[in-house]
Amino acid sequence: MRKITVSVQVDAEKLRAIQFYAGRKDTTMEAELEDCVNKIYEKYVPAQTREYIESISAPARPPRPGRSASPGENPEGGV
């Protein structure tokens, strides 16, 4: 899925405090914000819409090997 950046304004002293104490818990503000965004997404976006978004953003499955003969080959095994 394509990612975008969201900006928020935060008091500089509060940000420094968050970064300091989050670091002591082996996390980052970015990780915590990403978790919050995911919770908001699950709270407000209906399950059917989430399923649809996930289905269109899932990586395409590689094509299965076909049983068709390549050009110039005899399907019965002869040339």
Side-chain angles (χ1 to χ4, degrees), residues 56-67:
I56 62 173
S57 66
R61 290 175 33 183
R64 294 177 56 193
R67 294 184 180 242

Side-chain angles (χ1 to χ4, degrees), residues 28-69:
T28 64
M29 182 167 173
E30 290 82 1
E32 293 294 319
L33 288 171
E34 192 171 321
D35 186 49
C36 288
V37 169
N38 286 331
K39 287 178 183 174
I40 293 168
Y41 175 74
E42 290 176 5
K43 180 178 180 178
Y44 290 104
V45 179
Q48 289 179 325
T49 303
R50 293 194 314 261
E51 286 176 23
Y52 172 73
I53 290 171
E54 290 168 14
S55 72
I56 62 173
S57 66
R61 290 175 33 183
R64 294 177 56 193
R67 294 184 180 242
S68 64

Side-chain angles (χ1 to χ4, degrees), residues 3-20:
K3 302 250 181 177
I4 65 166
T5 300
V6 177
S7 300
V8 292
Q9 292 187 344
V10 180
D11 180 70
E13 290 299 318
K14 289 180 181 180
L15 177 59
R16 279 194 286 276
I18 291 169
Q19 290 171 328
F20 176 76

